Amino acid sequence: MPLTIHLDDFRPCYFGNETIRGRVLFESSTVLETRDIRVTFSGISKAKIQKVKGAGAPAANYRSRCVLFEKEKIVLHLNGEALAPGSYEWPFEFIFPSAVQGSSKWAQGPPFHSDANHPLPPTFAIETGDESRKVKCGIEYLLQAKVSKPQHGIIPSNAVLFLEELRLKFIPDCALSDGHDSGYSEIYRQQKEQIFNISTMLLLPQNRGRTLSMQEKLQSWFFPSQLPRFSFTASFSYPTRVIQGSPLQCLLEITPHIESSSITSPPEIVMKSISIEATSQTAARASPSLIGAMSAEINDRVDILSKTGLHIPVTGTVNLGELFGLLVFKHADVSFSTFNISRSYRLSVRIVFECAGTTSDLNFSNLLFDIVSDCKGPEKKDLAFETVESVGDAPPLYTDEPHSDISGATIRDLS
């Protein structure tokens, strides 16, 4: 007895406030007693945290399950009456919300959201871990059609005769590119700067390129206030919003401060090494229980650029992507945060300069940035669609599987 969900305008990716229209199709060759047929549309966020076994550490699993929203429509109510053989069709319609529609028992605290009406997170799944924690978590959006058994006796029953599930991929509006994310737009850029002060006799024109004698070194040690002075500012500019798969547009700017220096012309500033690293963080937390609460933050570090043994004079504004090649951070997941799961990104940069024989170290870390989707909005319908499938009581893993029709639905006989 096939039970199917057919969407009138199936899309591989959905956005906030979009209308989902479809029909429930049911075929019966025999008389069937049923209570009702209903369609449910819901969003679920699941997390599972497992402590890695160690000496004296109890092995335990910690789980959390948050309902982001849930809507239901009863398309047929029989209350135990017989449903005659035949083919049936019932229309339904839902609006994909753009915000979480529910309250939370969680305490407020970064990196999670605990407030109602925060942006609905995207479809997501990951399994990761480190030396102390294993994390499996996912966010799924699900259409379900159910044919329920009639109610007998006074004890409530949720027995289901047939169940069909259809998973939809969702991208939140806040994670969409708005046209300002690429290039050098100042709307989504941040700049960090550091001032370096240099005092050495090698700043004098006649001393440049040579090594100080022992007497000159002693003189510099005992009379530092008499040394020539020079200062410069090194600024690192980076994007705070990056489109999936696009290169990072990072700039280095060197500004000499001759007016506050005791020399008349700036010396050469040379880049000796550079490293740029991106860190993706998956954070999850599990509900308090008899064995307590649990949280985990799993960091995955990726080298974007690492160069040593350099001798590159730098002045003015330097486009690091043009100098060293495209700075690409290939990652598929957009940034988000909800009740029990979050996904975030940050940069770390270290650049070593040499000026007049003095080494200066620029070092910035925890430079937060967001990954946004390369989707252009609801009008774009040629996006890649990935079918998702839950595994047991564990959070959902997203895998490809054979599809019986365009909906990718599976019929399960539960009678």
Side-chain angles (χ1 to χ4, degrees), residues 98-310:
S98 59
V100 170
Q101 299 177 351
S103 58
S104 169
K105 61 185 177 182
W106 301 99
Q108 184 67 35
F112 305 101
H113 268 295
S114 296
D115 54 307
N117 299 317
H118 65 262
L120 201 64
T123 302
F124 176 74
I126 195 171
E127 186 171 355
T128 184
D130 57 21
E131 63 277 1
S132 61
R133 300 284 189 273
K134 290 183 180 180
V135 172
K136 182 188 292 186
C137 52
I139 297 170
E140 62 180 356
Y141 298 95
L142 185 67
L143 279 171
Q144 286 186 328
K146 299 178 183 179
V147 179
S148 300
K149 291 182 179 180
Q151 182 73 51
H152 296 294
I154 60 175
I155 300 176
S157 173
N158 294 320
V160 176
L161 287 170
F162 300 99
L163 171 67
E164 182 193 15
E165 296 181 344
L166 170 62
R167 288 167 174 81
L168 306 179
K169 184 176 181 180
F170 173 73
I171 295 293
D173 296 339
C174 61
L176 293 176
S177 167
D178 59 6
H180 296 288
D181 302 288
S182 60
Y184 300 101
S185 170
E186 296 302 320
I187 298 177
Y188 301 121
R189 294 192 69 81
Q190 185 67 263
Q191 181 172 290
K192 303 285 286 186
E193 61 182 34
Q194 189 172 343
I195 298 177
F196 299 98
N197 298 301
I198 299 173
S199 298
T200 176
M201 295 181 67
L202 294 177
L203 288 169
L204 297 174
Q206 63 271 24
N207 291 335
R208 294 177 184 176
R210 73 177 184 87
T211 303
L212 294 179
S213 65
M214 181 59 66
Q215 183 179 354
E216 289 171 325
K217 291 180 181 180
L218 290 174
Q219 183 179 354
S220 301
W221 178 266
F222 287 109
F223 304 101
S225 61
Q226 299 180 8
L227 293 175
R229 302 183 314 277
F230 172 70
S231 63
F232 69 94
T233 296
S235 302
F236 178 75
S237 173
Y238 65 97
T240 56
R241 285 169 63 94
V242 179
I243 300 175
Q244 289 173 314
S246 64
L248 300 174
Q249 303 285 359
C250 297
L251 306 177
L252 174 67
E253 185 174 358
I254 302 297
T255 305
H257 303 297
I258 296 297
E259 68 283 354
S260 60
S261 303
S262 61
I263 57 177
T264 58
S265 62
E268 184 179 60
I269 302 171
V270 175
M271 182 191 302
K272 304 297 292 182
S273 66
I274 181 172
S275 66
I276 300 177
E277 180 184 82
T279 300
S280 61
Q281 182 183 89
T282 302
R285 57 181 176 179
S287 309
S289 65
L290 293 177
I291 57 176
M294 179 62 64
S295 63
E297 295 180 352
I298 308 299
N299 295 315
D300 183 18
R301 295 176 175 84
V302 177
D303 286 331
I304 296 178
L305 176 64
S306 181
K307 298 288 184 179
T308 59
L310 303 176

Side-chain angles (χ1 to χ4, degrees), residues 10 385-388 399-410:
F10 174 77
F385 176 62
E386 186 178 14
T387 304
V388 295
T399 57
D400 294 328
E401 60 184 20
H403 296 169
S404 59
D405 57 17
I406 191 172
S407 71
T410 302

Side-chain angles (χ1 to χ4, degrees), residues 18 23 28 38 43 49 54 84 96 123-124 144 167 173 198 209 232 244 263 322 328 340 342 359 362 402:
E18 279 200 278
R23 291 162 287 154
S28 174
R38 60 186 65 197
I49 304 173
F96 220 128
T123 302
F124 176 74
Q144 286 186 328
R167 288 167 174 81
D173 296 339
I198 299 173
F232 69 94
Q244 289 173 314
I263 57 177
E322 293 179 358
V328 179
N340 59 338
S342 81
T359 299
L362 178 146

Side-chain angles (χ1 to χ4, degrees), residues 12-85:
C13 188
Y14 289 86
F15 305 89
N17 300 314
E18 279 200 278
T19 301
I20 301 173
R21 295 184 178 91
R23 291 162 287 154
V24 176
L25 308 177
F26 183 62
E27 294 185 5
S28 174
S29 59
T30 61
V31 176
L32 180 68
E33 290 187 356
T34 181
R35 184 179 65 188
D36 58 42
I37 300 176
R38 60 186 65 197
V39 184
T40 304
F41 182 35
S42 61
I44 305 294
S45 174
K46 296 180 181 180
K48 175 184 175 183
I49 304 173
Q50 183 180 26
K51 295 178 67 174
V52 177
K53 292 183 178 181
N61 292 326
Y62 301 78
R63 288 181 170 86
S64 61
R65 182 181 186 275
C66 298
V67 178
L68 305 176
F69 70 87
E70 187 171 50
K71 304 178 180 183
E72 186 175 81
K73 295 184 182 297
I74 300 176
V75 297
L76 178 68
H77 182 71
L78 293 175
N79 198 25
E81 297 179 7
L83 181 66

